[in-house]
Structure formats: structure tokens, C-alpha cells
Amino acid sequence: MTTAEASAIEARVGHYYRMDNTYLVGREKVREYARAVQDYHPAHWDVAAAGALGYSDLVAPLTFTSVPGMACNRRMFETVVVGYDTYVQTEEVFEQHRPIVAGDELHVDVELTAVRKVAGRELITVTNTFTDQSGERVHTLHTTVVGVTTEEVDPAIKAAVQNAMMHDVKVLVSEESDTDYRKTVRPDGEFRIADGGNRMPGTPSFDDVQVGDELPLHNAHLSRGDVVNYSGVAGDANPIHWDENLARLAGLPDVIAHGMLTMGLGAGYASAWTGDPGAVTRFAVRLSAPAIVSAIEGADIEFSGRIKSLDPATRSGVVLVGAKSAGKKIFGLATLNVRFR
């Protein structure tokens, strides 16, 4: 990408649109996603269990918003963020203002919020804002990717990947249309942010935790079938997640797990420890390496955690989360903000 092209992308920061259709959160979609990320907290599966924690219906897993978010972001990456052939996910931040539950009908706003250069690479951040029927912001999702330019991708890889894709999905294909571009920006005004109400979280008491406390280790296993299933549930058709030949053609040792899938496993690890999937108000992850999923052995991921800090005024704390696979850290830095009783 030339300097002029990079400047053109920076000039588009602030580009905004709202999706035409709302996203209706259904019980079976909640269960389907929870199964895909191996999160078996009862509040995702059983209405009575969710009600015992004070929820009106099944609670969506913390990373559930990545599914509608990915679908809504397609227009941004095909028509606004131009000059790249594909993108590599690097960071994700989930802000849960109140837990999303089955029955919520969500408006999704999409905004290009940052373009910055780090070590010669452009890091692009797109923010999704989810508002409910009453107009309250219930969730904010920030996705940061690195743009990969046309010059960096072998034409043979482009052809092979596109031949493997679903009929209506394009990757490694530039959709640049500068002549037709018109910037649209967010209307004036701000959303009301949901405060979560007065529900007491079903977590350990603040008085029973201390800085330095370690969470129990948790081992998750991913098979090739798990990765393929997640591809379908999340709508991520990139063949590096299911075709070993194309993954190797792209320079990878084998099929890799989705970054979002490993984050979903991490969020489930947190909800199992806290006892309440709505107790986490923020989950931020910087990816450092992918989990390699071989056809024979799959992949094992070990999750660990430690309480980094506690705030008596808000009865909340910050937890550091680690994730390793095959001896490598797959989370460079991951933190959870948790509310305690």
C-alpha cells in the first residue's frame, strides 16, 4: 500500500453505518454458539437456571456478539477499508454493559474508529455498538486487524482460496471503489448505556478474594470437527480454518483455530470460575500465536488466571488470563474485568 493509499484510509476514520435489519437473539442461537465454544454454564442452556441468577431468559455467552458483528462488518471491509486483500485479527475488546439475553432485538452500528501504523503495518479498528429495543447500548465490540496488501499475497493462493469459498463470500479479493465512495458519519447524539440494573452477581464475595489468587487451570481440546463447526456457527468461511492444504499454501503449518474461538473458550473459562456469565464487564485479548489444529491430534489449550487488582469501591477486580497451546502463548495479553458480590 502506498503512502497516498494509507492516507486515504485514515481519512475514512469515522465512517459509520447502521445495519438495515435488527438481529433477534434466539434461544437456539444462544445454545448453538455456547456449544461451539464449549461453554456449558447452565444460564446459556436452561431458562430456569438463568432465572435463578436474575435473568429474564437464556444469557448469551460474552463473545456471542462476534457472530452478528462479523456479518455486519463485511460491508466495511469490502467497500470502505480498501487497498487490502485480507486481514489478520490481532486484538478484540468485548464491553458488556448488560448481558444480552434471548429475546433481545438488537440494532447494530458499525464505525471505523482508528487506523494506526505500527512497525510498518496498518492496524485497523472497527467498533460495533449493540443497542436494544429501548435504545440502550448493551454491548460494545472493538475489532482490530492488520491489513495485508495485494503485493503480499501470491496470486496462486488467491485463486486457490477463492475456488474453495462459499458462493457468496469473497476473501483475498480487493473491492476498491474510490470513485463511488461517500463518507457517512454517526449522527449527533449519544446512546444511553445500560447499567445492568441492581441484580446481584452470582459470583464469589469480594471479601473472599485477594490479589494474587490463582484461578484453577482448565484444559480445553479442539478437534478439526470443532473448528469446522465453529466456522459454520460464526459464518467465518476462511479455509485456513478447515483446509490443511490451503493453510499450508498460506504459510501456516496446518489448520488454525479461529482467534474468536479461542476467546470464546476463554470467556467460558471465566464464567465457570465466576459462576455468572454476566459478571464480566470487559474482556480484552491481544492474540500472539494461533492454536494449530491437526487432523489427527487436534489441539489442547491450557487456560490459567490470576487476580491482578481489586477495587473495594466498586467490589470489582481485574483478572489476567493466560492461554497456551503446544507450549506457545496464544494470548499475548488478556484481561477480564469482573464484578463480585
Side-chain angles (χ1 to χ4, degrees), residues 40 51 60 85 95 110-111 137 171 177 187 202 207 209 237 242 284 291 317 333:
Y40 293 99
D85 264 350
E95 296 180 273
V110 184
E111 185 172 1
R137 182 193 298 184
V171 297
S177 55
D207 301 321
V209 295
W242 47 266
L333 178 64

Side-chain angles (χ1 to χ4, degrees), residues 89-90 257 259 262-263 285-292 300-306 320-335:
Q89 184 184 24
T90 60
T262 60
M263 291 180 213
V285 180
R286 184 179 305 148
L287 298 170
S288 58
I292 309 299
D300 292 302
I301 303 175
E302 181 185 80
F303 291 94
S304 59
R306 176 174 56 84
L320 294 174
V321 176
K324 291 183 179 180
S325 182
K328 293 183 179 180
K329 292 174 61 176
I330 60 175
F331 290 174
L333 178 64
T335 58

Side-chain angles (χ1 to χ4, degrees), residues 4 24 35 41 46 89 97 154 157 221 226-227 257 270 299 313 328:
L24 181 61
R35 175 173 178 261
H41 191 288
D46 182 72
Q89 184 184 24
H97 310 301
D154 188 324
I157 298 176
H221 181 78
D226 292 322
V227 178
K328 293 183 179 180

Side-chain angles (χ1 to χ4, degrees), residues 100-294:
I100 291 171
V101 297
D104 275 334
E105 188 169 356
L106 304 173
H107 289 282
V108 188
D109 296 294
V110 184
E111 185 172 1
L112 178 61
T113 46
V115 175
R116 64 189 192 278
K117 181 167 284 191
V118 177
R121 293 278 190 173
E122 281 76 33
L123 271 64
I124 301 141
T125 301
V126 174
T127 297
N128 300 126
T129 303
F130 298 82
T131 55
D132 63 12
Q133 305 94 310
S134 66
E136 287 192 329
R137 182 193 298 184
V138 297
H139 195 107
T140 307
L141 174 61
H142 308 275
T143 300
T144 300
V145 298
V146 172
V148 178
T149 64
T150 302
E151 295 76 13
E152 298 174 89
V153 182
D154 188 324
I157 298 176
K158 290 186 187 182
V161 168
Q162 200 54 55
N163 287 337
M165 297 302 294
M166 291 175 59
H167 67 281
D168 64 344
V169 178
K170 295 181 180 180
V171 297
L172 300 181
V173 176
S174 179
E175 296 281 345
E176 185 165 355
S177 55
D178 279 340
T179 56
D180 299 326
Y181 176 73
R182 182 175 65 86
K183 186 172 183 177
T184 55
V185 298
R186 181 186 292 277
D188 291 336
E190 186 53 87
F191 299 106
R192 303 189 308 275
I193 297 179
D195 63 7
N198 296 319
R199 188 189 65 85
M200 181 67 69
T203 54
S205 169
F206 181 84
D207 301 321
D208 293 335
V209 295
Q210 297 180 19
V211 172
D213 283 355
E214 294 189 355
L215 281 60
L217 296 177
H218 172 70
N219 290 287
H221 181 78
L222 290 175
S223 68
R224 188 67 65 82
D226 292 322
V227 178
V228 170
N229 178 64
Y230 185 84
S231 292
V233 170
D236 187 341
N238 194 321
I240 63 172
H241 301 305
W242 47 266
D243 187 310
E244 60 194 39
N245 293 322
L246 288 174
R248 288 170 180 154
L249 190 62
L252 297 166
D254 207 330
V255 162
I256 64 172
H258 311 68
M260 283 290 193
L261 172 53
T262 60
M263 291 180 213
L265 295 172
Y269 169 62
S271 65
W273 174 71
T274 65
D276 186 342
V280 175
T281 58
R282 188 176 187 271
F283 182 30
V285 180
R286 184 179 305 148
L287 298 170
S288 58
I292 309 299
V293 187
S294 75

Side-chain angles (χ1 to χ4, degrees), residues 1 5-17 72-84 87 110-115 124-126 173-185:
M1 173 175 285
E5 288 172 323
S7 298
I9 299 299
E10 292 170 0
R12 297 184 182 190
V13 171
H15 188 102
Y16 159 93
Y17 57 87
C72 294
N73 288 348
R74 182 188 286 188
R75 185 200 306 178
M76 181 68 75
F77 289 114
E78 288 181 351
T79 65
V80 178
V81 182
V82 296
Y84 306 97
Y87 305 90
V110 184
E111 185 172 1
L112 178 61
T113 46
V115 175
I124 301 141
T125 301
V126 174
V173 176
S174 179
E175 296 281 345
E176 185 165 355
S177 55
D178 279 340
T179 56
D180 299 326
Y181 176 73
R182 182 175 65 86
K183 186 172 183 177
T184 55
V185 298

Side-chain angles (χ1 to χ4, degrees), residues 12-31:
R12 297 184 182 190
V13 171
H15 188 102
Y16 159 93
Y17 57 87
R18 166 168 282 194
M19 296 307 295
D20 295 332
N21 301 314
T22 56
Y23 184 90
L24 181 61
V25 181
R27 286 179 181 173
E28 292 314 311
K29 283 297 179 184
V30 169
R31 293 178 177 127

